[in-house]
Amino acid sequence: MQKHGIKADVRQKKRSRKKEQQQYQEDNLLERKFIQIAPNLIWVSDTTELTYGRNNKVRLHVVLDLYDRYVFSYHISPTETAEAAIEAFKRAAKQAGTFAPMIHTDRGAAYTSKDFNNYLTSNNSKHSLSAPGTPADNAVIEHYWGDFKHIWMAHHSHPQTLAELKNLVK
């Protein structure tokens, strides 16, 4: 083809941005209704990266109840996986004695995975998702991360071991 000057004519599939935006709006069941009237109706979750020692990294998974905005479950794992997110929710259910009928998260790989969504379905819970690049859709937990990292963690000495980090998080 190159020798004879022939080029392939490949059309790019057109994306429907309106359809994608509509899907994101439909997926966001919470719709930024952060004030709740009772505990354990809606839990929000997110993960963040923490470091200890010389650039050793772990992921902190947190589950927060929107009613009192209290973190009642967390899990520290080496990477962000569906299994680690599920473990945080198992701990939350054990602590609360129930499972929230709605869970709101961002669109991280752990939360959009088949395993995580099957876990929510098996616990009769609906999954609400933030739109991509829209942290305001999960503002309560994003505010929590700000307090946790920039107030709590910044006012303590940098942990040198994983045990020190776990103790500081606890």
Side-chain angles (χ1 to χ4, degrees):
M1 288 176 64
Q2 188 175 18
K3 181 179 173 183
H4 297 290
I6 302 171
K7 293 183 181 180
D9 186 18
V10 179
R11 290 188 309 163
Q12 296 293 323
K13 183 178 177 183
K14 291 185 179 181
R15 292 175 57 178
S16 172
R17 301 241 186 248
K18 279 188 176 182
K19 189 175 180 181
E20 286 176 4
Q21 186 61 33
Q22 181 63 32
Q23 184 63 49
Y24 297 145
Q25 289 170 352
E26 289 172 9
D27 289 346
N28 189 346
L29 305 174
L30 182 59
E31 297 176 335
R32 299 185 186 182
K33 295 175 186 160
F34 301 124
I35 307 298
Q36 295 300 309
I37 59 170
N40 300 316
L41 295 178
I42 300 175
W43 293 345
V44 295
S45 185
D46 197 12
T47 64
T48 194
E49 185 176 84
L50 298 177
T51 60
Y52 65 93
R54 289 190 164 185
N55 287 329
N56 297 309
K57 298 177 183 179
V58 292
R59 300 296 294 192
L60 175 61
H61 306 260
V62 167
V63 179
L64 182 141
D65 187 358
L66 276 184
Y67 175 68
D68 57 9
R69 301 186 181 196
Y70 178 73
V71 171
F72 59 98
S73 173
Y74 69 91
H75 179 66
I76 296 174
S77 67
T79 58
E80 184 177 356
T81 62
E83 292 78 19
I86 290 169
E87 179 60 31
F89 278 93
K90 285 181 180 177
R91 291 177 182 188
K94 184 177 180 182
Q95 180 74 19
T98 187
F99 205 91
M102 184 186 295
I103 305 298
H104 184 77
T105 67
D106 61 15
R107 291 180 181 270
Y111 300 121
T112 56
S113 73
K114 190 175 184 178
D115 289 343
F116 182 77
N117 283 284
N118 287 341
Y119 175 73
L120 293 185
T121 301
S122 71
N123 284 285
N124 299 315
S125 188
K126 293 179 183 174
H127 193 188
S128 174
L129 295 157
S130 300
T134 313
D137 284 351
N138 209 358
V140 173
I141 198 127
E142 296 297 342
H143 179 70
Y144 170 78
W145 286 137
D147 287 349
F148 178 78
K149 290 178 110 172
H150 301 295
I151 296 173
W152 178 252
M153 297 295 282
H155 287 89
H156 290 84
S157 59
H158 184 73
Q160 295 304 308
T161 65
L162 182 57
E164 286 178 14
L165 177 66
K166 285 182 177 181
N167 191 43
L168 185 58
V169 169
K170 185 178 177 181

